[in-house]
Amino acid sequence: MKILDLIIFLKGGTQRKMLIDRLIASGINGNNFFIESRKEGRLEIPLDSIDGFKLEAKGTYILHESTQSQLITIVGILSKHSK
């Protein structure tokens, strides 16, 4: 199975994980980073609690054009707010 996961590391040593597939939206809402997919729903994380992130791929993964645009937004936001 071809899977691309976004893993967000939080201060305090915990992490949140979301499958990057069929994304609806991502961005900043107030002081929260949010990402929403059709399959997994919406995930919101306070920007000041983000310690870092990584994208983890299992196999070759081809993204749809709309998901590519969302992924560029996600990486930009998380890069800016990571440690």
Side-chain angles (χ1 to χ4, degrees):
M1 179 173 261
K2 299 172 182 171
I3 297 174
L4 181 63
D5 287 318
L6 169 66
I7 302 168
I8 301 173
F9 300 101
L10 304 175
K11 295 175 182 169
T14 60
Q15 63 186 28
R16 303 290 300 269
K17 184 175 178 179
M18 183 174 236
L19 174 67
I20 302 297
D21 188 33
R22 296 186 180 187
L23 294 178
I24 297 170
S26 65
I28 297 174
N29 182 14
N31 190 41
N32 292 322
F33 165 75
F34 71 90
I35 181 172
E36 186 172 354
S37 74
R38 288 189 178 111
K39 184 174 182 177
E40 296 191 30
R42 186 176 180 106
L43 172 65
E44 287 199 34
I45 300 170
L47 290 170
D48 58 2
S49 70
I50 297 172
D51 194 31
F53 73 99
K54 76 175 179 176
L55 293 167
E56 187 174 84
K58 297 179 178 131
T60 303
Y61 196 83
I62 298 171
L63 297 172
H64 297 282
E65 189 173 320
S66 62
T67 301
Q68 287 177 13
S69 298
Q70 291 288 344
L71 189 55
I72 290 168
T73 300
I74 291 165
V75 169
I77 291 169
L78 292 176
S79 294
K80 182 179 177 183
H81 293 282
S82 293
K83 214 177 193 185

